[in-house]
Amino acid sequence: MARPDGCAPRRVLVVGATGTIGRATVRALVSRGHEVVCLVRRPAGSARSADTGRPSRVPPGATARIVDLTEPVSLARDGIRGECFDVLVSCLASRTGLPDDAWAIDYGAQVNALHASRAAGVAHVVLLSAICVQKPILAFQHAKLALEAELIASGVDYTIVRPTAFFKSLSGQIDRLKRGKPFLVFGDGTLTACKPISDDDLGRYLADCLDDDERRNRVLPIGGPGDAITPKAQGERLFALLGREPRFTHVPVLLLDVIVSILTTIGRWVPALAAKAELARIGRYYATESMLVLDPATGRYDAQATPSTGSETLFDYYARVIRGEAVAERGDHAVF
């Protein structure tokens, strides 16, 4: 895709480039002619030098530099290298959402990248955040909000993008249904809804933020195309694609409350169970809160107020996965 008329290519620094959304964003940036440098963490067990060219998980056309994002010295020495950049694009996120991980990555590493990029001349930051920070309960949500506040106060132009649910987060039960098992829903399966967005559609939206002045200094919720979808609707469509009659197992939310309570109590003495309690709280949040724009006046989620972009629907994606044309690369998005 060509850039809009009059928009020159930029030198773009990207963090969080090796996740599925990060890779899609890098592909979109490269396709628009930008010079893209990705700051990535060293692969586990790797003894390779910091000057690696392009590790396999970074898309073609981009350059990768291995850094320690938690260390400002490494960011400057191994990442920035005294060079100038125009834009920072961050798709970075903690892997687990646990408190220590969230504050180290969602806040600490991001702030390090912000400071290092400002010193390198960056005048615009495009930040991938999350729509769930509208109603912050969990540690990672508070960490993301703290970063958003730091960015807004930094003096650089910013574009903060808060997407709804990702396809990979809603694909965990495909194999389960293939094995003949029922689809799991909480309550009656209509407690929540979302407007899921694909990696590529989100990547293109993020890349377009570089050239769209209307998106400067704004916080932008965004969803995918089509109507909001409930978990029940997800299950019904999957069964239809598999040619089977719908079968559901209804899990009461109260069961999650009991699990959270037990793990929290025992976790006071057993740290490993304290971590599991936080993961259970994350699971409960997504089981009971919609990924849509929250109306602060009413406290209700509003599908009509949630903007849409892109062309691929969740059900298009389900069909491609079932046909073997796509792989549900879920990674750490495996709550359900």
Side-chain angles (χ1 to χ4, degrees):
M1 178 183 294
R3 296 181 307 278
D5 290 343
C7 294
R10 258 59 59 80
R11 294 202 80 211
V12 183
L13 204 61
V14 179
V15 293
T18 58
T20 60
I21 297 163
R23 298 202 304 273
T25 303
V26 170
R27 288 194 298 270
L29 290 166
V30 169
S31 75
R32 286 155 176 75
H34 299 300
E35 181 183 349
V36 181
V37 175
C38 305
L39 306 186
V40 303
R41 286 175 281 188
R42 185 182 302 280
S46 172
R48 298 163 72 184
S49 67
D51 192 358
T52 62
R54 188 179 63 82
S56 59
R57 289 180 65 82
V58 172
T63 298
R65 298 176 181 175
I66 291 181
V67 302
D68 183 346
L69 293 172
T70 65
E71 291 292 337
V73 171
S74 177
L75 270 169
R77 181 191 64 221
D78 305 322
I80 304 297
R81 301 183 184 179
E83 300 171 10
C84 292
F85 292 87
D86 302 303
V87 182
L88 170 67
V89 176
S90 177
C91 299
L92 188 66
S94 58
R95 289 192 172 99
T96 64
L98 294 174
D100 289 348
D101 191 22
W103 284 103
I105 303 301
D106 292 307
Y107 179 74
Q110 297 263 37
V111 169
N112 289 343
L114 172 61
H115 292 168
S117 65
R118 287 186 66 194
V122 161
H124 182 201
V125 176
V126 178
L127 173 66
L128 177 64
S129 187
I131 204 166
C132 64
V133 301
Q134 301 172 111
K135 190 173 182 179
I137 296 173
L138 305 163
F140 80 88
Q141 295 164 337
H142 289 290
K144 286 181 180 293
L145 279 175
L147 172 67
E148 288 188 8
E150 184 101 11
L151 173 56
I152 291 169
S154 69
V156 302
D157 283 354
Y158 62 86
T159 305
I160 297 171
V161 178
R162 293 177 174 175
T164 64
F166 305 136
F167 288 2
K168 60 189 173 186
S169 303
L170 304 175
S171 303
Q173 298 197 57
I174 295 177
D175 288 340
R176 174 185 175 85
L177 268 60
K178 285 181 176 179
R179 296 195 301 270
K181 296 184 177 181
F183 190 89
L184 299 176
V185 295
F186 292 95
D188 66 356
T190 64
L191 294 176
T192 64
C194 61
K195 296 178 76 170
I197 188 167
S198 74
D199 293 343
D200 284 330
D201 283 336
L202 181 54
R204 285 188 285 267
Y205 185 87
L206 291 167
D208 287 344
C209 290
L210 274 64
D211 296 316
D212 190 341
D213 290 339
E214 294 298 318
R215 299 182 189 176
R216 293 282 182 114
N217 300 318
R218 294 185 62 191
V219 177
L220 302 169
I222 195 67
D227 297 330
I229 304 168
T230 65
K232 182 181 178 183
Q234 294 167 32
E236 289 172 342
R237 180 57 65 92
L238 278 173
F239 279 114
L241 289 168
L242 291 167
R244 300 175 185 173
E245 288 296 317
R247 293 173 54 225
F248 292 92
T249 293
H250 298 268
V251 180
V253 174
L254 179 60
L255 177 60
L256 288 177
D257 293 333
V258 171
I259 292 171
V260 169
S261 178
I262 292 173
L263 290 174
T264 300
T265 300
I266 302 176
R268 295 170 184 167
W269 297 278
V270 183
L273 292 183
K276 290 185 180 299
E278 182 67 11
L279 292 174
R281 281 189 286 271
I282 293 172
R284 189 197 186 283
Y285 186 97
Y286 286 113
T288 56
E289 302 290 341
S290 291
M291 297 297 107
L292 299 168
V293 166
L294 183 67
D295 185 337
T298 64
R300 296 178 180 176
Y301 293 103
D302 188 345
Q304 295 301 316
T306 306
S308 296
T309 191
S311 58
E312 185 177 19
T313 70
L314 177 67
F315 298 151
D316 294 333
Y317 175 74
Y318 281 167
R320 292 199 299 117
V321 171
I322 289 173
R323 290 195 303 264
E325 298 170 2
V327 176
E329 186 178 345
R330 299 175 64 217
D332 299 297
H333 293 255
V335 177
F336 304 115

